[in-house]
Amino acid sequence: MRRKLTPLQRGRVDIREAASNTRGVVCEAVRDKRWITRTALPEDSMDKPNIVTCTAPVNIAVIKYWGKRNEDLILPINSSLSVTLHQDQLKTTTTVATSRSFQEDRIWLNGKEEDITHPRLQSCLREIRRLARKRRNDGEAGLNLTGMSHKVHICSVNNFPTAAGLASSAAGFACLVYTLAQVFGVEGELSGIARQGSGSACRSMYGGFVQWIMGKKDDGKDSLAQQVEPETHWPDLRILVLVASAERKQVGSTSGMQTSVQTSCLLKHRAESVVPERMVEMIEAVQTKDFTAFAELTMKDSNQFHATCLDTYPPIFYLNNVSRQVINLVHRYNRHYGETRVAYTFDAGPNAVIFTLQQHVTEFVQVVQHFFPPDTNGGQFIKGLPVSCASLSKDLEQAIGLEPMPKGISYIISTKAGPGPCVVEDHLLGSDGLPKKTT
Ligand code: DP6
């Protein structure tokens, strides 16, 4: 009978066994430096290693985080709230392997080896190892102690364009911390560690609707993410990511918010006098599934965030003409129906994220397709959850009355709220601890 595995044990492979199975291909592979790295080690120095793979979601803030009070610990000047997007459409996958035979910590991101000495990566590694040691010293029963001091190999990929304003660092650091925790047997509150990789990453540690409570303490111990409602709470809520540009953003969030903190008095006012009340209202809107309140707060908060960017000196522009056209389109659409059916929000980039209810998706996608006619030779315009076809009424077209912007939007990702990080079986690192050829 197959032994039932714990989540920690699932996904582990015995590298020694796998390595011995591949010995027959040594001649062919000897030119490959990776093979040399592996076989240069005497067999008895090889340990029973762990390989664990996890996935983590992207989140989109409806009350924005912008500005830190502590740059090293990544402590924010205001609380924020986000919706976790479904991993069927947007996710990061990370494999972490530990082995006594690894010579150094290494990391591969989207197929390329990167510098592991990056301070934020180091913070996450250090904190997880510290918690693992603490558990060992506290003498927790049943703890697997092997691998505690071993080096790690990390391999991570996104299934969406990196740095296109789609919160890739949030999913990336959440996934890294979650996977490291599985490997080192660390359980419990992890959002405080993910936060030290990237502020918004702490919110990707949970599914559904998540708040990041700013906290008051200087050591950041109370600056943590908390689930407000699970992903099943609001089944009719739909999310459309309108990808306006897959290019790298001009000013990164980290440096952008630094300049805003230094120069914008609007940001100070926002953090002190606007966000505290808005958080209470937003939580209430989510809990009661009040779409009108949720949508209006979402749009106002996005607009105020971009106003603080304009109030930054020198100003930062994340929105472009396509973004502004989307904003106009949403307001004209809502005005036509005399109710708030659709909302937009924009992070540090030009892509719009649209919130609406299931019953309005088909028509709104039709509207987007009409006013942003896609490239007919281009790939699929609508990805993700299926959207049915319909024709746009002349009435609505005239009521919106904007000049179409051909190819302004490259594609739409149709999704919904989804769960937090989880363990999966498909590893990105081979049994030699190196990225598989396909990644
Ligand atoms: C506009 O979390 O990317 O997306 O903490 O410096 O890594 P760092 O910044 P980051 O900032 C995200 C800013 C935002 C708003 C939000 O997600 O709340």
Side-chain angles (χ1 to χ4, degrees):
M1 207 178 73
R2 249 184 95 113
R3 197 162 52 95
K4 198 159 184 286
L5 297 178
T6 67
L8 272 175
Q9 288 165 322
R10 260 187 291 129
R12 281 179 192 164
V13 232
D14 184 337
I15 287 184
R16 189 179 348 199
E17 187 187 308
S20 67
N21 291 342
T22 56
R23 217 158 280 142
V25 295
V26 67
C27 295
E28 200 188 322
V30 80
R31 288 185 305 272
D32 184 341
K33 206 163 128 250
R34 300 186 315 164
W35 174 263
I36 293 164
T37 313
R38 184 177 63 201
T39 52
L41 294 154
E43 176 150 341
D44 59 8
S45 78
M46 291 187 80
D47 187 29
K48 196 167 186 186
N50 284 338
I51 299 190
V52 180
T53 302
C54 300
T55 64
V58 164
N59 73 77
I60 178 81
V62 290
I63 301 289
K64 306 290 185 194
Y65 145 58
W66 196 251
K68 299 181 186 66
R69 62 179 200 279
N70 181 320
E71 292 283 336
D72 296 328
L73 290 172
I74 311 199
L75 301 177
I77 59 168
N78 61 259
S79 296
S80 54
L81 196 143
S82 59
V83 182
T84 297
L85 307 192
H86 206 288
Q87 295 182 50
D88 281 352
Q89 281 74 47
L90 298 159
K91 68 175 174 209
T92 295
T93 304
T94 302
T95 297
V96 175
T98 61
S99 166
R100 186 146 53 102
S101 58
F102 294 165
Q103 310 286 295
E104 52 184 352
D105 291 337
R106 294 175 76 179
I107 187 163
W108 291 263
L109 300 178
N110 293 312
K112 199 168 150 260
E113 182 154 17
E114 301 283 351
D115 183 9
I116 192 112
T117 65
H118 190 288
R120 288 175 170 206
L121 280 171
Q122 288 298 317
S123 299
C124 295
L125 274 165
R126 188 187 57 238
E127 287 304 299
I128 290 284
R129 283 178 165 141
R130 192 178 58 77
L131 281 187
R133 270 195 304 276
K134 186 172 178 302
R135 279 196 79 193
R136 182 189 55 190
N137 296 341
D138 292 351
E140 282 198 35
L143 194 63
N144 178 2
L145 299 179
T146 53
M148 199 77 84
S149 58
H150 294 174
K151 300 294 181 198
V152 294
H153 281 190
I154 302 162
C155 186
S156 191
V157 295
N158 295 331
N159 68 347
F160 55 91
T162 307
L166 286 174
S168 60
S169 67
F173 277 105
C175 206
L176 173 71
V177 169
Y178 192 81
T179 316
L180 284 171
Q182 299 286 322
V183 169
F184 287 104
V186 172
E187 281 163 2
E189 213 305 308
L190 295 169
S191 76
I193 303 181
R195 188 201 75 226
Q196 295 177 56
S198 180
S200 53
C202 71
R203 298 186 311 238
S204 277
M205 296 301 281
Y206 298 98
F209 302 82
V210 184
Q211 63 170 326
W212 173 11
I213 300 166
M214 65 176 287
K216 287 195 180 75
K217 294 187 180 163
D218 286 342
D219 64 6
K221 292 260 158 54
D222 57 352
S223 187
L224 303 171
Q226 203 177 66
Q227 188 176 63
V228 172
E229 291 290 347
E231 61 276 15
T232 48
H233 169 69
W234 201 344
D236 290 349
L237 191 70
R238 283 287 173 279
I239 302 156
L240 303 168
V241 183
L242 311 188
V243 181
S245 152
E247 284 154 32
R248 282 196 160 255
K249 53 193 174 194
Q250 306 239 303
V251 181
S253 322
T254 308
S255 71
M257 68 175 81
Q258 221 165 15
T259 320
S260 296
V261 168
Q262 286 157 6
T263 63
S264 168
C265 45
L266 176 57
L267 180 63
K268 190 170 152 55
H269 167 71
R270 164 181 164 73
E272 286 169 7
S273 312
V274 180
V275 174
E277 206 171 309
R278 219 168 245 182
M279 282 293 292
V280 176
E281 288 169 8
M282 184 58 98
I283 291 171
E284 164 93 13
V286 167
Q287 286 175 336
T288 58
K289 290 180 259 184
D290 178 346
F291 185 77
T292 307
F294 172 82
E296 288 179 9
L297 285 165
T298 295
M299 291 188 279
K300 285 180 177 173
D301 204 72
S302 172
N303 293 340
Q304 189 175 68
F305 156 52
H306 290 279
T308 66
C309 290
L310 201 58
D311 189 47
T312 299
Y313 192 81
I316 308 168
F317 309 100
Y318 289 123
L319 306 181
N320 63 16
N321 287 340
V322 173
S323 322
R324 281 184 285 271
Q325 177 95 333
V326 171
I327 293 175
N328 282 331
L329 190 147
V330 166
H331 285 292
R332 288 177 188 212
Y333 181 81
N334 288 338
R335 193 181 55 199
H336 175 72
Y337 285 107
E339 64 175 12
T340 308
R341 293 188 173 186
V342 176
Y344 53 79
T345 186
F346 298 83
D347 277 347
N351 299 332
V353 177
I354 299 288
F355 289 95
T356 189
L357 296 173
Q358 173 69 57
Q359 67 260 37
H360 306 310
V361 168
T362 302
E363 186 181 65
F364 189 73
V365 165
Q366 224 43 63
V367 169
V368 172
Q369 214 155 354
H370 179 85
F371 289 100
F372 297 96
D375 190 347
T376 42
N377 299 322
Q380 210 184 357
F381 188 60
I382 302 154
K383 304 177 198 239
L385 294 177
V387 176
S388 7
C389 289
S391 57
L392 184 62
S393 81
K394 275 276 160 247
D395 211 26
L396 181 56
E397 185 189 322
Q398 273 162 14
I400 292 174
L402 291 165
E403 192 60 39
M405 286 178 81
K407 298 183 219 162
I409 289 171
S410 11
Y411 58 94
I412 299 177
I413 305 168
S414 161
T415 187
K416 59 183 183 178
C422 51
V423 179
V424 296
E425 306 286 338
D426 277 343
H427 304 302
L428 304 173
L429 292 167
S431 51
D432 55 1
L434 294 168
K436 288 183 181 170
K437 279 270 176 340
T438 48
T439 62

